[in-house]
Amino acid sequence: MTNEQQSSPLIRLHEADNVLIARSQLALGQQIEAGGVAVRMRAQVPAGHKVAARRIALGEPIRKYDTVIGFAARDIEPGDHVHSHNIELREYDRDPGFGQDVRPVDYLPEDQRARFMGIVRPDGQVGTRNFIGIFSSVNCSATAINKIAEWFTPERLADYPNVDGVVAFAHTSGCGMSSPSYHFEVLQRTIAGYVRHPNLAGALIVGLGCERNQVASLVSAQDLQESGQLRTMVMQDAGGTRQTIADGIAMVQQMLPAANAVTRQPVSASHIKIGLECGGSDGFSGITANPALGAAMDILVRHGGTAILSETPEIHGVENMLTRRAVTPAVGQKLLDRLEWWKEYTKGQNAQFNGVVGHGNQQGGLANIFEKSLGSAMKAGTTPLQAVYEYAEPIDRTGFVFMDSPGYDPVAVTGQIASGANLICFTTGRGSMFGSKPAPTLKLASNTAMYKRLEEDMDINCGLVLDGEASIEQMGQIIFDEILRAASGERTKSELLGLGDHEFIPWHLGVVS
């Protein structure tokens, strides 16, 4: 930001905008000049919220970043607070413009690409962490797998310093569901994605025995190969709860020596796959943290890595920003097809896709889903959209890709990790206490006040952009450097707090019976 922009209490994001953004709380009657526009405040406006830069007539588009985020629900005067009370959300024509904004990526030669200390697996995948995972095929075996994992305390793992932990991935489905069905397919695909994840050195799958998601059919359908580092067990065959726990502990103990026999080695940043997430967003998220993360993803893509954008409801309204970057019309159309699916899926519901954003988002200055989507999409940077995937589908392309998911943070991240993300970058303006395993989460704060208040949970302060201490490009490089350190094994704030044991939440769809 320029010195003039930095000194003003209002931020002008684009010369065509008819709203300005409050840098801090503004008082009724306050006289302010920003970007050549002088306004007298007609209301008290919280930080991150919008102020009318000029008169906006009833029905006129509200523009932020020169993008339509809604329409004036009544006449709005200069200096008015512009928010959900006077913005109407309605659909309008958006040209998908397939491929019109595709720009070639200036890829760095292999010998110039950044490197990190990764864990190379026998199949060539590269991990950023080294866990053993225990999975339930059904909720009925969830308690057993949690008891197995709980046995492996830090004291009992002291002889295995290269193992990051033993983690139970329990869930609340697996039976009482339609099968075959899309829900059933998604559940099996999600579990399998975690089982074969490069951040796992071993896995144990435990079933009850009478569930729909049978262990044997799961292994067969997902082409998983049992071995010394992939074991399975059925409680009804093992002799019940106590024996299952005892046998499970013994199986994990047998895996530990091989899991510990790893060494980190220098590898190309092209092996990094980042799941991009945002939650508890505010009016500054689309000004600082999200575009800065996008700048970091542009760097990562140049180094051969992969950026995974998700949360399909949170691109609603700005999907043309992505379809214009699609490498083929088919890729762009697949994204639009997923949005059409969501339109039918949420029809008649008070869901975020249909306009209403969460309480924290509204308090932070976001009026509706179009405005939230505008900021959310910025996490993806500017490189071409290479492919669109369904939830938890293995990602086999590098560069910027999209994976369909709900906007609910743990469900979206679960899908990204199942698809192969070995690190998560999570932007937040209100403050999120999220963490994940086996792929760790880096949390990026949109503003300095929140970063200082929640410093134990926040890894990076993107509020430096708002404070005039860093440009978006500089902040992107800071984030990229932090990604390399985290991928090399440096603990994130959420890891230091022990988060991630309860955030495995596969997407639930369909009938429960």
Side-chain angles (χ1 to χ4, degrees):
M1 294 184 182
T2 65
N3 289 335
E4 180 184 354
Q5 290 173 318
Q6 196 61 42
S7 61
S8 173
L10 287 169
I11 303 168
R12 191 176 188 88
L13 297 174
H14 191 280
E15 61 182 12
D17 289 355
N18 50 17
V19 293
L20 308 167
I21 311 301
R23 185 187 301 277
S24 56
Q25 181 164 302
L26 304 177
L28 173 66
Q30 191 173 347
Q31 187 77 27
I32 305 171
E33 185 170 335
V37 176
V39 295
R40 183 178 180 84
M41 296 303 304
R42 289 166 49 90
Q44 181 172 296
V45 176
H49 284 239
K50 297 170 293 300
V51 174
R54 60 169 176 79
R55 190 176 191 277
I56 307 172
L58 169 67
E60 186 179 345
I62 308 292
R63 291 188 172 273
K64 178 180 177 181
Y65 276 120
D66 196 23
T67 300
V68 176
I69 61 169
F71 298 84
R74 60 176 185 249
D75 290 340
I76 300 173
E77 301 300 329
D80 274 348
H81 181 202
V82 181
H83 198 41
S84 52
H85 63 287
N86 55 11
I87 297 180
E88 178 188 0
L89 181 71
R90 64 173 187 254
E91 289 290 347
Y92 64 96
D93 289 337
R94 300 183 288 278
D95 179 9
F98 296 135
Q100 291 182 13
D101 291 343
V102 170
R103 302 290 181 269
V105 177
D106 181 20
Y107 291 105
L108 289 168
E110 285 282 354
D111 61 352
Q112 294 180 27
R113 291 180 178 177
R115 300 179 78 75
F116 72 101
M117 299 300 289
I119 301 167
V120 181
R121 302 298 184 187
D123 62 0
Q125 292 192 96
V126 176
T128 63
R129 293 294 182 270
N130 192 43
F131 286 96
I132 290 177
I134 313 173
F135 298 85
S136 59
S137 66
V138 64
N139 177 253
C140 307
S141 55
T143 297
I145 70 165
N146 278 305
K147 294 295 184 183
I148 295 168
E150 288 168 8
W151 192 87
F152 291 93
T153 61
E155 294 75 20
R156 286 172 171 152
L157 290 174
D159 291 336
Y160 306 98
N162 295 327
V163 176
D164 290 307
V166 177
V167 187
F169 294 104
H171 60 91
T172 59
S173 188
C175 202
M177 60 190 301
S178 176
S179 61
S181 66
Y182 186 56
H183 181 189
F184 191 76
E185 178 186 337
V186 163
L187 177 62
Q188 289 201 331
R189 192 164 66 212
T190 304
I191 294 172
Y194 270 64
V195 168
R196 59 169 61 98
H197 197 280
N199 287 7
L200 289 189
L204 168 63
I205 306 173
V206 181
L208 175 62
C210 54
E211 65 272 19
R212 291 206 174 202
N213 188 27
Q214 288 284 300
V215 172
S217 63
L218 166 65
V219 169
S220 174
Q222 296 300 315
D223 197 26
L224 299 171
Q225 304 298 321
E226 292 195 55
S227 65
Q229 295 303 105
L230 173 54
R231 311 286 190 90
T232 65
M233 185 168 38
V234 175
M235 295 179 71
Q236 290 170 352
D237 296 337
T241 302
R242 186 195 59 78
Q243 193 61 48
T244 296
I245 295 168
D247 289 351
I249 290 169
M251 290 180 182
V252 173
Q253 286 176 315
Q254 292 165 11
M255 297 181 202
L256 281 169
N260 192 57
V262 299
T263 55
R264 289 183 178 268
Q265 61 189 76
V267 292
S268 169
S270 62
H271 293 288
I272 296 176
K273 294 182 178 180
I274 300 289
L276 304 172
E277 187 66 19
C278 59
S281 301
D282 70 351
F284 297 129
S285 293
I287 301 173
T288 62
N290 289 342
L293 181 54
M297 292 305 96
D298 284 351
I299 297 171
L300 177 65
V301 170
R302 287 191 64 222
H303 285 262
T306 304
I308 308 166
L309 185 67
S310 298
E311 302 178 287
T312 312
E314 296 184 15
I315 62 162
H316 182 209
V318 299
E319 63 277 358
N320 56 314
M321 293 172 59
L322 303 182
T323 56
R324 294 175 68 89
R325 290 158 52 193
V327 292
T328 66
V331 170
Q333 186 60 51
K334 188 172 182 180
L335 184 63
L336 296 183
D337 290 345
R338 295 315 300 163
L339 283 159
E340 282 299 314
W341 182 93
W342 273 94
K343 188 179 294 183
E344 289 300 312
Y345 183 60
T346 61
K347 185 179 289 184
Q349 304 297 317
N350 291 322
Q352 181 166 263
F353 186 88
N354 299 326
V356 181
V357 294
H359 175 73
N361 296 153
Q362 292 204 34
Q363 280 195 320
L366 301 177
N368 56 44
I369 189 57
F370 284 8
E371 185 176 11
K372 184 174 184 181
S373 294
L374 176 60
S376 179
M378 293 179 181
K379 301 194 298 292
T382 62
T383 63
L385 174 61
Q386 301 288 346
V388 174
Y389 296 88
E390 293 192 18
Y391 185 86
E393 189 178 2
I395 288 172
D396 55 5
R397 296 288 299 271
T398 59
F400 163 47
V401 301
F402 189 91
M403 186 208 75
D404 181 35
S405 84
Y408 184 39
D409 303 330
V411 177
V413 170
T414 294
Q416 291 173 335
I417 294 174
S419 286
N422 52 19
L423 197 69
I424 305 297
C425 284
F426 191 126
T427 65
T428 181
R430 304 290 293 174
S432 170
M433 313 304 150
F434 184 84
S436 54
K437 292 177 181 178
T441 291
L442 280 167
K443 290 198 288 294
L444 286 62
S446 76
N447 62 88
T448 299
M450 187 272 286
Y451 174 81
K452 289 182 175 179
R453 187 171 68 252
L454 302 176
E455 195 164 352
E456 286 188 353
D457 287 272
M458 298 296 123
D459 295 277
I460 301 171
N461 178 22
C462 296
L464 297 177
V465 174
L466 201 65
D467 301 339
E469 298 180 26
S471 65
I472 290 292
E473 293 71 24
Q474 289 169 332
M475 202 71 233
Q477 186 63 55
I478 290 170
I479 295 167
F480 181 70
D481 292 342
E482 189 67 22
I483 286 170
L484 294 178
R485 286 191 290 272
S488 297
E490 185 175 300
R491 294 291 183 247
T492 67
K493 294 290 184 68
S494 62
E495 288 181 290
L496 294 173
L497 289 168
L499 301 176
D501 289 303
H502 305 287
E503 285 77 7
F504 177 67
I505 313 290
W507 188 7
H508 281 224
L509 302 103
V511 173
V512 177
S513 61

